[in-house]
Amino acid sequence: MDKILEGLVSSNHPLQVKKAIIKKVIEAAENTVTEEQCQDMFTLTTHLILLGEDAFQKQVGFQVLEAYARYHRPEFERYFSKDFVLGLLQQGYGELHHKDPAIIDFIHSCLRLLISCPSVLEIFSVIQVEVLRMVCERPDPALCARLSALLSDFVQCIPKEKTGGLFCQQLVRTISYFQCFASEEQELREYVSQVTRVSTLLQNIWKADPATLVPSLQEVFTIISSTELTYEPSIALACLVQHIPVHMITVLIKSLTTDQSVKDANMTKALCRMIDWLSWPLAHNVDIWVIALLKGLAAAQKFTILIDVTLLKIELVFNRLWYPIVRQGAFAVLSHMLLSFQHSPEAFHLVVPHLYDHILESIKDLPKPGEDKIKLVLNQSAWTSQSNSFAPGFLRPSGKSETGKTGLVNLGNTCYMNSIIQALFMATDFRRHVLSLNLNGSERLMKKIQLLFAFLSHTQRAAYAPKNFLESSRPPWFNAGSQQDCSEYLRFLLDRLHEEEKTIQVLQSSEVLKDVSNDDRTDNCPNSLTSPEENVSSLNPTHCDNRTLIEKMFGGKLITGIRCSQCNSMSEKEEPFTDLSLAFCPPATSAESGQAAGPSSAPELHCQGSVNGGSENPESGTVKSPASSVSIVPMTSEPPLSVPDLVNYFLAPEILDADNAYFCEKCSSLQRAERTLKVVSAPEYLILTLLRFAYDAKCHVRRKILDNVTIPALMRLPVHTQMSSESLQEDSPECSENLAKKLKPSQNDDEERIDGAVKDMPFQSVPYVLCSVVMHSGLSSESGHYYSYCRNICEVDGTQHLTNCLSLKDDNGAGCISSSCSSVTVSHENSLSPKGYPEKDWLLFNDSRVTYASFQSVQNITDRFPKDTAYVLIYRKQEIPGQNVNGNGETNGMRMNAEPPLHKELLDAIIKDNKLFLQEQELNARTQVLQASSSCSSRPNGSDDNNPPGSCGPSGGGGGGGGFNTISRLVF
């Protein structure tokens, strides 16, 4: 037998000889041998298996060991004892270190041969203790994989009870030490295979003993959140994520994001390392957990962490797209990061330069998503819109409403400003031109409104507090905190902007002219507020458009003509206007009784004139408001008034007689005369103010006219060509006088036509589409609340789609209307307008709250809430291809096709404020968590305590304006 053993160990024999020797040894094992011989054979085979020079010797050792263990089991049981196993695991074998994987393989093979022996139970107990010690020594992936294979086959060797949880935690920490230094594909595959075997062992343990799962996950978070580790945890930890039940996401993420013991630095480090896991191949659900944690942090309003992590890791996530094996998960995380980082384009700019041209090429053929779809995706990913299921019940992130529009915080009776600003902001062309102006470094009011519009367009806040703009734009006679009139504020604001630009034009013009004289050349016409889209003309006064932006957008022209009844001489005066103040028509009984409806038959009436050059003197012709128009209780016997009725009344000829007689310079005496008003230049945006606030001379109180006024979606304004005085003198004075007597609400042109009509005076019927309506809610002029309805124009070019729904032809089918004695023709197609508006086409702006509305709500507001009445209306000119709609042979050319890009100064200010807003949200959330004194959320917009439409806010506090404490707003 000794010779046989020597031949088996020797490597000098040919292969055939070795095979013959093996066969003889196995046959000898079947015969009866002494115990000493068996022990020698076991020692020899162990030596061959563990210290064999080549794979052949190791194979021979296993074969002989298996044969002797089968036929001599008692001898093998005495040889492979617990002391022998303990020595192997603690001291190794000869030159072989105890951490060598070959030792684990040897023990694994021997356990298979000894499984039915009683002594194996003692060996299991030894291995349970030793494997815990071994994982605490941080074995390498190869040894850990062999150990996992052993424990997977012999679960009796896995530590139990208290040591079971400890073993899992130590195994997790061991995985964090795994590092791969391989560069060849085969080596990489082997490394991934080894890690997979270890993670599979943990999965099996978690299934068998669920109590070990949470401690294991806690250990994972402790490792990845540590800021004091001397090593970087291996991304191999990603292999564990796929084995965590997905239904545990909500519980675990809530526990992590609301644990006040977890510092921001630790959470930031943990999230960064989880994002690194996206590089681990074949690890499923990593993206799900990363996105869930991002959403959980957003719901807990920990925005500082999200900002830091996104800026640190978004480029790494983007680079993972190059690798198909991890592309799907990386793309999901990248999409969420970009869509949620809405307060700034910084994250987007970090990744786009890497692949900008390729991205454009890839998406050019993809279908363009609709605006509603884009808003939905953005809102779902926005940090301020995340579900509170991850956060404590008392946390309520204040995000924008579903409309995507930003409200304005009521700063204490400032609804008069908020309603006007929202109406101007929703005037699409005006907003776009304001945002496109080059005003860097300016402290002008236009710069402030530009900044305010930029914030309303791009802020993350649900409501923005315009404190700086309020201080700059409030009229000097407006007391802070007092209720004021929105129409007066609008007039003052437009006038300030106009005069400011005019002043700058004069200064710049003098500088340009000086430069021209020095250079002996012609330069461009100076205009301080020009946008990139506008072409600047030359200094030639016939071509240079020196109009201010306010004039281009809101400016029109009126001609007031007064004709003496005695000598028929005509006096004309052209005046600019930015709004028309519409008095209420007299009751029908006055007209039917044959009494004159003009100022000559009523007490003098004072109301506002035009902003730019308009006069409040009765001779200015801007008002025509007899005392009979003051009505406190709406009339029910007559049809309700309409806006065209009020415009008709405003433009109707007026007789000046008696105390209001006209002093004719030609006659050198007071004479009976006729005053006429004609619009000769139509504004881009037509502002109409309804004079609802009157002074009752009998009762000596200020009252509000509560008459309902029908608001058409589309109306037409007659715009005259400027005609000479001679042609006007041919008109019959009696004709206009008769018209003034007969004029009453809602009558048709045919009813106004009289025998012996005068010469036709052609004019153009300019169509206007309703853009905004500012409502006043209240029973008096002393208190109330303002809110506004505005059209939500979604088209890129700003074109009103209502054109397709409403006919833009004139009543007689021609492009110009001929009238006889009346040059006042304002048509309205109210019956078609509601059907022309799609759902969500109107928005209700009530200070900080913005909600969807409908055109029916605008029309029926007074029927539903009698104290809520339309006050200021803004109509937008509807351009007709091929038709001159300006009345003076020119077009404004002020339409812009898209929202202009923000200037860097505006963008930086918005980014800074958006980050500040997120920090404020985070601070508020942390304060609530620390106090934990109430489960109710606080109001997100401090002073926004207005009542809803249809009710009147309190006279003080956040109720908003509506008081009228200036004489120019009153009708006497």
Side-chain angles (χ1 to χ4, degrees):
M1 181 64 67
D2 293 339
K3 293 182 178 180
I4 294 177
L5 294 176
E6 291 177 1
L8 185 61
V9 174
S10 176
S11 59
N12 297 326
H13 299 291
L15 180 60
Q16 295 296 330
V17 175
K18 291 182 178 180
K19 289 182 178 181
I21 295 175
I22 293 174
K23 184 178 180 180
K24 290 182 179 181
V25 171
I26 293 176
E27 291 177 351
E30 299 177 3
N31 301 323
T32 303
V33 292
T34 63
E35 182 177 350
E36 183 179 356
Q37 290 177 329
C38 287
Q39 294 296 327
D40 292 340
M41 185 58 69
F42 289 139
T43 301
L44 176 60
T45 54
T46 300
H47 183 82
L48 288 176
I49 293 171
L50 297 177
L51 301 177
E53 296 179 358
D54 51 37
F56 176 77
Q57 289 188 355
K58 296 178 182 294
Q59 181 182 4
V60 169
F62 274 117
Q63 291 179 355
V64 175
L65 178 65
E66 182 179 358
Y68 271 83
R70 181 183 303 115
Y71 297 113
H72 304 283
R73 185 169 297 273
E75 290 79 3
F76 179 70
E77 187 175 358
R78 286 190 290 273
Y79 172 76
F80 194 74
S81 63
K82 64 176 185 179
D83 295 331
F84 178 70
V85 172
L86 183 62
L88 290 176
L89 293 176
Q90 290 185 350
Q91 302 174 5
Y93 185 84
E95 301 174 356
L96 197 64
H97 195 268
H98 69 277
K99 291 184 178 181
D100 196 297
I103 290 182
I104 302 299
D105 288 340
F106 176 75
I107 295 176
H108 193 177
S109 300
C110 291
L111 287 177
R112 290 196 184 100
L113 301 175
L114 202 64
I115 189 62
S116 59
C117 299
S119 61
V120 75
L121 298 177
E122 296 180 348
I123 299 177
F124 286 162
S125 62
V126 171
I127 296 178
Q128 281 184 356
V129 176
E130 289 302 308
V131 293
L132 178 59
R133 178 190 59 79
M134 291 178 67
V135 296
C136 291
E137 294 178 354
R138 311 293 175 245
D140 58 25
L143 177 59
C144 207
R146 300 294 209 287
L147 193 61
S148 299
L150 169 64
L151 298 180
S152 296
D153 286 347
F154 299 98
V155 294
Q156 302 90 335
C157 298
I158 299 176
K160 299 294 189 294
E161 299 178 353
K162 294 182 180 180
T163 57
L166 180 60
F167 173 76
C168 291
Q169 289 178 298
Q170 292 300 322
L171 192 56
V172 166
R173 187 162 291 273
T174 296
I175 296 175
S176 70
Y177 279 88
F178 288 175
Q179 300 296 335
C180 180
F181 304 101
S183 57
E184 299 296 330
E185 179 180 354
Q186 183 60 37
E187 295 175 337
L188 291 173
R189 288 181 179 273
E190 180 63 25
Y191 173 75
V192 173
S193 176
Q194 292 167 353
V195 174
T196 301
R197 286 198 292 269
V198 178
S199 66
T200 302
L201 171 65
L202 273 173
Q203 179 191 17
N204 294 334
I205 296 176
W206 292 340
K207 287 182 178 180
D209 187 4
T212 60
L213 176 58
V214 174
S216 301
L217 299 182
Q218 290 175 341
E219 185 68 20
V220 173
F221 184 77
T222 301
I223 295 170
I224 63 176
S225 63
S226 175
T227 59
E228 300 176 354
L229 289 180
T230 56
Y231 67 99
E232 186 61 27
S234 172
I235 63 171
L237 287 171
C239 65
L240 302 179
V241 174
Q242 60 189 333
H243 303 308
I244 304 174
V246 178
H247 66 268
M248 295 185 63
I249 289 180
T250 301
V251 177
L252 294 176
I253 295 301
K254 181 178 180 179
S255 175
L256 290 176
T257 56
T258 59
D259 188 350
Q260 296 303 306
S261 64
V262 180
K263 298 181 179 179
D264 285 1
N266 299 105
M267 183 61 73
T268 301
K269 183 67 74 173
L271 185 52
C272 287
R273 286 166 173 164
M274 287 183 67
I275 292 174
D276 291 340
W277 292 354
L278 292 170
S279 302
W280 182 256
L282 305 179
H284 305 291
N285 300 334
V286 172
D287 56 320
I288 297 177
W289 281 89
V290 171
I291 293 175
L293 185 53
L294 291 172
K295 289 183 176 181
L297 291 171
Q301 302 184 45
K302 297 185 178 181
F303 302 119
T304 302
I305 298 174
L306 295 172
I307 293 172
D308 293 342
V309 170
T310 302
L311 296 180
L312 281 172
K313 290 297 181 180
I314 195 165
E315 287 185 271
L316 181 143
V317 177
F318 182 83
N319 290 331
R320 297 286 79 79
L321 298 179
W322 291 106
Y323 306 100
I325 195 171
V326 296
R327 180 177 297 159
Q328 183 176 357
F331 181 77
V333 174
L334 179 66
S335 299
H336 181 81
M337 280 183 161
L338 290 176
L339 292 172
S340 62
F341 205 80
Q342 297 179 25
H343 70 283
S344 165
E346 188 176 1
F348 183 75
H349 291 164
L350 286 174
V351 301
V352 168
H354 295 283
L355 205 61
Y356 187 74
D357 294 334
H358 300 281
I359 291 177
L360 293 181
E361 182 67 23
S362 300
I363 67 175
K364 67 178 183 179
D365 296 328
L366 297 178
K368 182 180 179 181
E371 183 177 1
D372 291 340
K373 176 65 175 178
I374 293 174
K375 288 181 179 179
L376 177 63
V377 174
L378 288 174
N379 187 59
Q380 286 177 339
S381 300
W383 292 342
T384 52
S385 300
Q386 295 306 318
S387 169
N388 289 310
S389 60
F390 297 116
F394 48 83
L395 292 181
R396 293 292 184 271
S398 59
K400 287 188 179 181
S401 68
E402 61 176 350
T403 66
K405 300 296 183 182
T406 301
L408 288 171
V409 176
N410 194 305
L411 303 175
N413 290 323
T414 59
C415 64
Y416 69 89
M417 176 188 71
N418 292 350
S419 59
I420 291 299
I421 292 301
Q422 293 289 17
L424 293 177
F425 175 78
M426 294 301 290
T428 309
D429 294 317
F430 178 64
R431 178 184 74 245
R432 291 173 177 174
H433 277 276
V434 168
L435 292 176
S436 66
L437 298 175
N438 296 315
L439 301 170
N440 291 337
S442 171
E443 293 298 327
R444 304 195 296 267
L445 183 59
M446 183 62 81
K447 176 65 178 181
K448 290 179 169 53
I449 197 172
Q450 182 187 58
L451 184 63
L452 178 56
F453 280 3
F455 272 104
L456 289 178
S457 298
H458 300 285
T459 184
Q460 289 284 296
R461 299 179 185 270
Y464 180 75
K467 298 178 182 178
N468 294 333
F469 185 78
L470 172 63
E471 296 301 322
S472 301
S473 64
R474 183 172 54 213
W477 58 89
F478 277 20
N479 295 325
S482 300
Q483 301 188 45
Q484 307 294 344
D485 175 40
C486 74
S487 177
E488 186 178 5
Y489 174 79
L490 172 61
R491 185 175 293 248
F492 174 81
L493 176 62
L494 296 182
D495 191 45
R496 273 279 310 274
L497 294 172
H498 165 73
E499 294 299 332
E500 180 183 81
E501 185 176 354
K502 274 295 184 185
T503 302
I504 295 171
Q505 282 184 358
V506 172
L507 295 176
Q508 292 186 349
S509 178
S510 60
E511 295 177 0
V512 172
L513 291 175
K514 182 178 179 180
D515 294 339
V516 169
S517 61
N518 293 335
D519 299 339
D520 291 328
R521 59 183 176 85
T522 301
D523 203 348
N524 290 334
C525 179
N527 193 338
S528 62
L529 297 184
T530 55
S531 62
E533 291 76 8
E534 299 180 50
N535 295 323
V536 182
S537 59
S538 66
L539 276 175
N540 189 335
T542 62
H543 297 289
C544 181
D545 186 1
N546 280 324
R547 292 180 303 164
T548 65
L549 180 61
I550 300 303
E551 289 177 310
K552 293 175 182 177
M553 285 293 168
F554 304 101
K557 292 182 181 179
L558 283 171
I559 287 184
T560 304
I562 302 179
R563 181 175 52 191
C564 177
S565 300
Q566 181 66 27
C567 64
N568 273 345
S569 62
M570 173 64 75
S571 172
E572 290 185 334
K573 180 182 179 182
E574 182 179 277
E575 295 178 312
F577 70 89
T578 52
D579 74 323
L580 299 179
S581 301
L582 306 180
F584 279 71
C585 305
T589 55
S590 297
E592 292 173 355
S593 64
Q595 299 177 357
S600 59
S601 62
E604 184 179 358
L605 205 63
H606 295 278
C607 64
Q608 65 272 39
S610 61
V611 173
N612 297 326
S615 173
E616 297 181 6
N617 191 303
E619 292 188 0
S620 67
T622 57
V623 299
K624 204 177 293 65
S625 304
S628 59
S629 67
V630 180
S631 176
I632 304 303
V633 180
M635 296 177 297
T636 58
S637 60
E638 292 289 333
L641 293 170
S642 68
V643 173
D645 290 333
L646 301 185
V647 177
N648 276 329
Y649 183 67
F650 175 81
L651 296 176
E654 180 181 358
I655 300 302
L656 306 178
D657 199 2
D659 294 339
N660 198 30
Y662 168 67
F663 181 84
C664 178
E665 294 183 356
K666 188 174 183 180
C667 299
S668 299
S669 62
L670 293 172
Q671 297 293 337
R672 190 171 185 269
E674 178 190 66
R675 179 167 57 188
T676 59
L677 287 176
K678 293 182 177 64
V679 179
V680 296
S681 178
E684 191 74 18
Y685 285 95
L686 176 63
I687 302 177
L688 304 175
T689 302
L690 308 188
L691 299 177
R692 289 190 171 275
F693 304 100
Y695 179 77
D696 190 337
K698 294 182 180 180
C699 301
H700 301 287
V701 294
R702 298 172 180 176
R703 290 183 176 177
K704 177 180 178 181
I705 301 174
L706 296 173
D707 289 3
N708 189 14
V709 176
T710 302
I711 304 173
L714 176 67
M715 62 170 284
R716 305 171 190 274
L717 182 70
V719 180
H720 294 258
T721 56
Q722 298 188 30
M723 304 184 68
S724 63
S725 300
E726 290 75 10
S727 63
L728 292 175
Q729 290 176 6
E730 298 176 1
D731 293 343
S732 170
E734 289 79 9
C735 179
S736 296
E737 180 181 354
N738 290 336
L739 173 63
K741 291 179 180 180
K742 293 179 176 291
L743 185 63
K744 60 183 179 179
S746 302
Q747 42 188 144
N748 296 325
D749 242 4
D750 296 337
E751 298 174 357
E752 299 170 358
R753 191 175 296 273
I754 301 176
D755 293 339
V758 297
K759 180 181 177 180
D760 289 346
M761 296 174 58
F763 59 87
Q764 289 182 325
S765 180
V766 179
Y768 279 90
V769 176
L770 186 62
C771 180
S772 300
V773 181
V774 178
M775 299 287 183
H776 176 261
S777 176
L779 293 172
S780 72
S781 62
E782 301 301 327
S783 64
H785 177 60
Y786 290 109
Y787 58 94
S788 58
Y789 286 97
C790 302
R791 274 290 307 280
N792 185 23
I793 301 176
C794 301
E795 290 80 3
V796 174
D797 61 353
T799 302
Q800 307 279 359
H801 67 82
L802 196 58
T803 307
N804 300 326
C805 305
L806 301 177
S807 172
L808 294 181
K809 293 183 179 180
D810 297 316
D811 294 339
N812 59 1
C816 179
I817 298 178
S818 298
S819 67
S820 55
C821 58
S822 173
S823 62
V824 185
T825 304
V826 182
S827 65
H828 54 95
E829 293 119 43
N830 193 32
S831 60
L832 294 178
S833 55
K835 298 179 182 179
Y837 290 106
E839 294 183 4
K840 301 182 179 180
D841 198 50
W842 281 83
L843 298 173
L844 170 59
F845 293 90
N846 188 13
D847 284 338
S848 60
R849 293 184 292 274
V850 185
T851 56
Y852 283 115
S854 65
F855 185 61
Q856 287 84 350
S857 299
V858 180
Q859 289 185 310
N860 302 329
I861 188 69
T862 306
D863 291 335
R864 293 185 294 120
F865 306 103
K867 61 182 178 180
D868 288 38
T869 54
Y871 184 37
V872 178
L873 298 87
I874 300 180
Y875 281 86
R876 182 177 185 262
K877 184 191 296 180
Q878 186 71 25
E879 293 186 354
I880 306 175
Q883 182 175 350
N884 174 21
V885 296
N886 204 30
N888 56 4
E890 299 178 3
T891 57
N892 283 341
M894 294 294 291
R895 299 293 170 92
M896 295 181 67
N897 293 329
E899 296 290 335
L902 289 184
H903 301 302
K904 184 178 185 301
E905 184 179 2
L906 298 176
L907 185 61
D908 291 344
I910 293 171
I911 292 174
K912 181 179 179 181
D913 183 75
N914 282 338
K915 187 172 183 179
L916 177 63
F917 165 66
L918 295 175
Q919 293 172 343
E920 291 171 357
Q921 294 285 90
E922 182 175 355
L923 180 61
N924 291 337
R926 291 174 185 267
T927 301
Q928 292 178 45
V929 170
L930 292 176
Q931 294 177 348
S933 59
S934 174
S935 61
C936 298
S937 61
S938 61
R939 287 183 177 269
N941 306 305
S943 58
D944 178 27
D945 54 356
N946 300 306
N947 294 318
S951 60
C952 184
S955 59
F964 306 93
N965 51 13
T966 54
I967 197 68
S968 62
R969 288 296 102 181
L970 300 178
V971 180
F972 292 92

